[in-house]
Amino acid sequence: QPDVLERSAAYLSGITNGRYRRLLPAHEGRDGVLALETSDGRPVGLGEALSRGTKEQVLLSLRLAAADHMDQTGERLPLFVDEVFVNWDKGRRERGLELLRQLSGSRQVCVFTCHAAVAGRLAAHAGGCPTSPFCLMFLRVSATLPSTTLGQR
């Protein structure tokens, strides 16, 4: 879907602060695989020397764009993400969190993490979870209890 690639590129460009400006379809990419276009116009295949964090940013961008595409037919879908920021550098994580906060104005966004630092930044971006559609689900597995605890830091 061309609109999904265009939307995904816009999300990815925002997350990467313009380092990657377009997603190239498989027929334009390298080796028949989706590729990224850098800010200087160079194509970089997803199988090339991209960090795990960058690959996860591409995946989140595609998921967000696919959700936007599906929303065109009616009700906005909620978004659930689990440990999406673990491999991201600080700058991209902050831009990603801000993007999700902005999206929470038009869709419910639930983020799951077991990392205290990520949970703290999520809470800061949420601006008060009880009244915000931007949900913070901080999961902590206790060393002594087999169950998972919601909402504790």
Side-chain angles (χ1 to χ4, degrees):
Q1 303 287 350
D3 66 316
V4 171
L5 288 179
E6 288 175 15
R7 289 173 191 246
S8 182
Y11 287 132
L12 185 63
S13 181
I15 291 168
T16 65
N17 204 26
R19 181 164 184 177
Y20 300 104
R21 64 180 187 192
R22 253 182 16 134
L23 274 82
L24 304 172
H27 66 276
E28 291 182 41
R30 295 193 168 180
D31 301 323
V33 177
L34 187 70
L36 306 178
E37 183 179 273
T38 63
S39 59
D40 62 1
R42 185 177 49 88
V44 179
L46 289 181
E48 295 183 37
L50 292 173
S51 70
R52 182 173 178 169
T54 299
K55 290 175 183 177
E56 291 173 359
Q57 292 151 20
V58 171
L59 178 59
L60 178 63
S61 297
L62 286 166
R63 286 180 63 194
L64 295 175
D68 288 346
H69 179 77
M70 290 186 281
D71 288 346
Q72 294 174 0
T73 60
E75 193 172 323
R76 307 262 315 156
L77 298 170
L79 178 67
F80 296 88
V81 293
D82 183 20
E83 298 299 358
V84 70
F85 299 109
V86 172
N87 296 304
W88 294 29
D89 65 50
K90 184 179 178 179
R92 290 184 184 186
R93 182 175 55 236
E94 287 299 312
R95 288 187 292 276
L97 288 167
E98 179 57 23
L99 172 61
L100 293 183
R101 188 202 59 76
Q102 290 171 5
L103 292 174
S104 74
S106 60
R107 81 170 65 249
Q108 185 180 22
V109 178
C110 295
V111 180
F112 297 86
T113 187
C114 67
H115 297 273
V118 174
R121 296 307 306 146
L122 280 165
H125 279 271
C129 276
T131 60
S132 172
F134 187 67
C135 298
L136 166 64
M137 298 290 193
F138 177 66
L139 305 176
R140 181 179 65 187
V141 178
S142 170
T144 57
L145 298 174
S147 63
T148 302
T149 305
L150 291 176
Q152 293 186 3
R153 287 187 257 173

